[in-house]
Structures are given as C-alpha cells and as structure tokens.
Amino acid sequence: MKKLMQGLLVALGMSLVGVGLSQAPTAQAAKLGKISKVKKAPYHATKGPIYTSTALNKVQGKAKSYLHVTLYVTKHATLKQNGKKKVFYYVDTQQVKGWMWRGYLKNGKVSPSIDSMNAVMAQEFVKQTNQYRTAKGMNPVALDPAIMAVLKGHESWLKKSGTRYKTDWTAYDKLAGKLGLPTGSQMMTDSETKDKHDLKNSQSLAQFGIDTAMIVGNQQPDYAHADILQPDVSRVGVFWFATEGGAYFMYMVA
C-alpha cells in the first residue's frame, strides 16, 4: 500500500509539472495585456514616440510633429516595456495612427497654433475691412504677398525691447528691398494681447487684430484715421505670432 501511495504521489507530481509547462505559453502571451475598445475621446500629445503596434518595436512618428493636432483615443492596452507594465492609448486621427504611452497624453482637444490660424484670421480681417470701406464708398483692399512675406519674416527685423517690440529699420529695409517693397518708414500698426478671451480661438484673435487696426490702435471709434481705411490704400498684409503667454498682431498697408 505504501509503495502504491508513493507511485500515486509521483504520478500526481509529474502531472502537475505537465500542467505548469502547458500553461507557460499562455502566461507569456498575457504580457501584452488585453486591448480594450473605449469611447472615442479627444487628447493632445506633449512629447514622446508613437508606435505602430503593441509590439512597441517600430516608431510611427514623434509627438512633436502633432503638438497642435487633436488625437482621438479609441483603445487602451496594458503593455510591457523595458520590464515595466504601462498603459498605452491608441490614437486614431487623419494625420497619424498608433500607440502612445498615456503619460505623454493630456485629456481634451488641443488649441491650434497661432501660426496655423493666420490664413483664416487674415481672410476675416480683410472681410471686415472691406465691409467698412464699402460703407464709406471706398474700393476694397487685397492681401499683398510681398507685405505678408515681410511680416512673416518679422524675426529678422522686429526685436523684443523690454515689454515692447522695436523695429530694426535697417534690417527691415533689407528684407523689404528684396521683396520689391518701398523702404523707409511704413504705415504699420501693431499690438500685443495676453487676454484669454482674445486667445480663445481664431475668430477672437482675428477680432483683436481688427480692433487694433480700426478702433483701439488709432483711438478712432468712427475709424476716420485708421491706416487701413484711407482711400488711397489698396494693399495690406496682416500677421499674428505667439509671444510668452500671449499673441502679437501687426499689419501694414501700401
């Protein structure tokens, strides 16, 4: 009987070892974790790589290329990276698709960059300008590519001086001359805002520019002396750029 019991124990031990061996691949596969579908939600990236798959062995792109793009998350997964378990989110947008560590993502839609909004704001500026000019019996103005190029290249001639910006006219004349614009003093208006309402969206920031050019900038509620509303003006350039905690607007006419 004693030998029989020993035989049974040995057999049982071998069967338990066999069970352990047969389950090992399942435990290995579980390291990738379960991929769960979630309700589509907006996020924005701060930094980090975007991987093509849950294997995390190939980078699709870098977050710095999509800092001003809203990334919609549709899946979650717990993955193992460098021996540590981390939760990754799958981002699915027109610009990029892939897996990102959740620590590099923040909840909510991203605010577009001021630079990316410039074209829309410029069109709104011209639209309202021409409404005022038409009401006064003046011909409409149009955006001028050369003036726009000068303003876009402001970093070469517009320098920060204390809390304001100062024009380096020598540097300006050099750039203006290359673009076929008159050198010397120009009819230019500029202003900076740090008001959260102005910075809210393109429409608000465009309106700040319009107010600067036609109301606030010239202190003329009836727009009588605004540069942009003079009868002999036909061309205009407008530009906004980001400053520390705010935005700077400038426009020039010819």
Side-chain angles (χ1 to χ4, degrees), residues 164-217:
R164 296 282 301 167
Y165 284 85
K166 185 178 180 180
T167 301
D168 179 342
W169 286 110
T170 301
Y172 167 81
D173 287 348
K174 185 177 180 180
L175 179 58
K178 288 181 179 179
L179 295 167
L181 289 173
T183 57
S185 181
Q186 297 290 311
M187 288 191 291
M188 181 164 53
T189 301
D190 54 74
S191 186
E192 184 179 19
T193 181
K194 294 190 177 182
D195 188 295
K196 289 184 178 180
H197 179 269
D198 293 339
L199 301 169
K200 187 177 180 181
N201 52 47
S202 63
Q203 187 174 0
S204 298
L205 203 51
Q207 191 61 50
F208 162 72
I210 292 162
D211 292 347
T212 296
M214 304 178 204
I215 307 173
V216 180

Side-chain angles (χ1 to χ4, degrees), residues 2 15 34-36 42 61 123 129 135 144-145 154 169 177 200 218 220 237 241:
K2 188 175 181 180
S15 66
K34 181 181 179 182
I35 298 176
S36 304
Q123 292 298 327
T129 295
D144 183 89
H154 66 277
W169 286 110
K200 187 177 180 181
N218 293 278
Q220 294 293 329
F241 63 87

Side-chain angles (χ1 to χ4, degrees), residues 13-166:
M14 291 181 67
S15 66
L16 288 174
V17 171
V19 169
L21 290 173
S22 66
Q23 289 180 340
T26 304
Q28 183 70 26
K31 286 183 179 180
L32 287 177
K34 181 181 179 182
I35 298 176
S36 304
K37 289 185 178 180
V38 295
K39 185 178 180 180
K40 188 176 181 179
Y43 284 79
H44 56 280
T46 56
K47 60 181 180 178
I50 305 171
Y51 296 97
T52 58
S53 71
T54 54
L56 307 180
N57 57 5
K58 185 176 181 181
V59 174
Q60 168 85 354
K62 295 294 182 70
K64 65 181 181 181
S65 300
Y66 306 98
L67 295 180
H68 300 291
V69 176
T70 297
L71 305 171
Y72 288 92
V73 170
T74 57
K75 301 174 189 176
H76 291 177
T78 300
L79 308 174
K80 209 163 189 180
Q81 186 181 46
N82 299 326
K84 295 181 179 180
K85 285 187 177 181
K86 297 181 181 180
V87 177
F88 281 75
Y89 289 173
Y90 183 76
V91 296
D92 187 352
T93 64
Q94 186 176 357
Q95 293 89 341
V96 65
K97 302 178 190 295
W99 291 91
M100 289 193 71
W101 176 51
R102 69 176 175 182
Y104 291 145
L105 290 163
K106 287 189 176 181
N107 202 328
K109 292 183 178 181
V110 70
S111 298
S113 67
I114 291 175
D115 184 59
S116 70
M117 297 191 297
N118 254 296
V120 173
M121 294 190 294
Q123 292 298 327
E124 181 62 25
F125 182 91
V126 170
K127 177 183 175 182
Q128 288 204 38
T129 295
N130 286 333
Q131 286 175 349
Y132 293 133
R133 287 180 67 89
T134 299
K136 291 177 176 290
M138 292 184 281
N139 292 327
V141 297
L143 288 172
D144 183 89
I147 301 177
M148 294 289 281
V150 165
L151 297 181
K152 191 172 182 179
H154 66 277
E155 291 180 346
S156 67
W157 55 266
L158 192 67
K159 307 298 181 183
K160 190 73 180 285
S161 178
T163 59
R164 296 282 301 167
Y165 284 85
K166 185 178 180 180

Side-chain angles (χ1 to χ4, degrees), residues 211-240:
D211 292 347
T212 296
M214 304 178 204
I215 307 173
V216 180
N218 293 278
Q219 297 296 314
Q220 294 293 329
D222 62 356
Y223 316 120
H225 298 294
D227 293 339
I228 191 67
L229 296 177
Q230 299 310 301
D232 59 340
V233 167
S234 60
R235 299 178 293 154
V236 63
V238 288
F239 194 76
W240 292 255

